[in-house]
């Protein structure tokens, strides 16, 4: 095999996303995809076994995320990392400042080619320890933790991550607003759109209730109606009605109806 061939591992929990990235990489040539992984734990095992030149990591995955994986890899086994992300330009700037490559979803082939060119330029000349420090700095920028704190968690065997994103990316009119999940009071459906109510503002996003629900921690957010999700920490009181229905009163005074079919959800408030 030519030394110009890059050994690549693709890590994404969505099969279609992995397939799309593989096709784009193969179209560019000079690539051997040695493995595809659906989660961070599997990816760690494959990276240690196959020693790829570059790993394309999705940032948000259930269990061990792309950010967690960076913390779990020993310096000697760290491949070049290209994050695959839907973050806005501010997070992208953090990647650039720390010299960590990225491609945005949906992936553009020209940007992918540029990422691979950067990988080739660094190949064989990158100080692995320095690269790991750069990656941890990038992780620190995104998780708002110091590199030292991340190192301590790593040494203690803690992943330091969550399967649920801290911020929800809401696209509107060509821009992306990152709304902290902890700031969301409740969410209701309006046709094909979801209205996300947070800090007195309403953000509208085109997504199904089920898809949005999967991004939210069920310990904090529960569905109380076919078209309503509530932040449990925002509930001030529960009002029962004779007909078996309940109304939840939030800290801001908002009253939300809990339908009969979701009455078992009441146990989460008791």
């Amino acid at each position: 095999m030519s030394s110009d061939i890059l050994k690549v591992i693709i890590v994404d929990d969505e099969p279609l996303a992995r397939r799309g990235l593989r096709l784009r990489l193969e179209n560019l040539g000079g690539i051997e995809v040695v493995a595809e992984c659906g989660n961070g734990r599997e990816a760690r095992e494959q990276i240690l076994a196959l020693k790829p030149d570059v790993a394309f990591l999705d940032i948000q995955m259930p269990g061990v995320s792309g950010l967690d994986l960076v913390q779990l890899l020993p310096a000697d086994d760290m491949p070049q990392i290209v994050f695959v992300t839907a973050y806005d330009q501010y997070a992208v700037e953090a990647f650039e400042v720390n010299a960590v490559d990225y491609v945005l979803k949906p992936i553009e082939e020209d940007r992918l080619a540029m990422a691979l060119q950067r990988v080739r330029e660094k190949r064989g000349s990158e100080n692995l320890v320095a690269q790991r420090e750069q990656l941890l700095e990038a992780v620190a920028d995104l998780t708002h933790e110091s590199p030292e704190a991340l190192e301590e968690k790593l040494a203690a065997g803690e992943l330091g991550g969550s399967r649920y994103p801290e911020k929800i990316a809401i696209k509107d009119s060509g821009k992306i607003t990152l709304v902290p999940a902890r700031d969301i009071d409740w969410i209701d459906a309006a046709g094909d759109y979801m209205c996300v109510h947070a800090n007195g503002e309403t953000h509208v996003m085109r997504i199904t209730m089920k898809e949005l629900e999967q991004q939210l921690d069920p310990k904090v957010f529960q569905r109380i109606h076919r078209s309503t999700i509530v932040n449990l920490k925002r509930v001030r009181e529960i009002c029962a009605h004779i007909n078996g229905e309940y109304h939840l009163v939030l800290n801001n005074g908002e009253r939300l109806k809990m339908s009969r079919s979701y009455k078992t959800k009441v146990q989460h408030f008791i």
Side-chain angles (χ1 to χ4, degrees):
M1 183 184 299
S2 170
S3 60
D4 292 333
I5 300 294
L6 287 176
K7 293 169 60 179
V8 172
I9 184 171
I10 298 172
V11 187
D12 197 307
D13 62 313
E14 298 179 2
L16 287 178
R18 295 198 301 270
R19 182 172 181 272
L21 180 53
R22 174 190 276 269
L23 290 174
R24 286 175 174 80
L25 287 168
E26 291 176 344
N27 285 341
L28 291 171
I31 295 294
E32 180 194 7
V33 178
V34 295
E36 292 183 22
C37 300
N39 60 71
R41 293 187 186 279
E42 179 187 0
R44 182 178 185 275
E45 294 176 0
Q46 292 297 315
I47 288 173
L48 295 178
L50 301 174
K51 308 213 180 284
D53 298 304
V54 56
F56 284 84
L57 301 183
D58 183 20
I59 284 183
Q60 295 179 349
M61 294 184 294
V64 179
S65 70
L67 298 179
D68 296 330
L69 180 57
V70 166
Q71 300 173 52
L72 291 173
L73 286 172
D76 291 344
D77 295 292
M78 180 73 72
Q80 294 286 343
I81 300 293
V82 177
F83 283 122
V84 181
T85 175
Y87 278 74
D88 73 350
Q89 67 269 21
Y90 300 108
V92 167
E93 287 173 0
F95 288 126
E96 291 282 41
V97 168
N98 290 283
V100 179
D101 247 316
Y102 69 93
V103 289
L104 289 173
K105 290 182 177 180
I107 297 172
E108 297 180 359
E109 196 161 294
D110 288 347
R111 184 62 188 85
L112 188 59
M114 184 185 300
L116 288 172
Q117 181 59 35
R118 290 182 178 179
V119 169
R120 292 182 190 281
E121 290 173 356
K122 294 179 182 179
R123 188 184 186 190
S125 62
E126 186 76 12
N127 181 299
L128 293 176
V129 174
Q131 181 191 348
R132 188 172 188 275
E133 290 176 353
Q134 289 176 331
L135 288 169
L136 284 174
E137 288 175 8
V139 173
D141 285 341
L142 293 175
T143 59
H144 306 294
E145 294 191 70
S146 70
E148 293 77 16
L150 293 176
E151 286 284 16
E152 289 178 4
K153 288 187 175 183
L154 177 59
E158 300 175 12
L159 299 183
S162 169
R163 62 168 294 184
Y164 303 100
E166 293 184 359
K167 297 181 180 180
I168 303 299
I170 300 177
K171 298 180 182 179
D172 183 33
S173 302
K175 70 175 183 178
I176 298 176
T177 301
L178 294 177
V179 177
R182 65 178 180 274
D183 290 346
I184 297 174
D185 296 311
W186 87 100
I187 300 164
D188 55 11
D192 295 331
Y193 296 86
M194 294 296 114
C195 297
V196 179
H197 305 275
N199 287 336
E201 298 184 12
T202 299
H203 306 272
V204 180
M205 62 190 304
R206 190 178 182 90
I207 190 173
T208 67
M209 180 70 78
K210 182 178 180 180
E211 290 172 335
L212 182 53
E213 195 172 17
Q214 291 174 347
Q215 297 184 42
L216 300 170
D217 186 348
K219 294 179 181 178
V220 180
F221 294 91
Q222 279 291 336
R223 196 156 169 181
I224 59 168
H225 189 277
R226 63 182 177 83
S227 60
T228 309
I229 295 174
V230 69
N231 183 339
L232 304 182
K233 296 181 179 180
R234 295 290 193 274
V235 177
R236 187 177 69 201
E237 59 182 292
I238 306 168
C239 300
H241 287 249
I242 297 176
N243 61 5
E245 294 182 346
Y246 293 85
H247 279 88
L248 307 182
V249 181
L250 306 189
N251 292 335
N252 61 7
E254 188 72 30
R255 294 176 67 90
L256 303 177
K257 178 181 177 181
M258 174 182 281
S259 65
R260 294 181 182 181
S261 58
Y262 289 89
K263 64 182 180 181
T264 56
K265 301 294 185 182
V266 174
Q267 66 186 359
H268 294 282
F269 302 96
I270 300 175

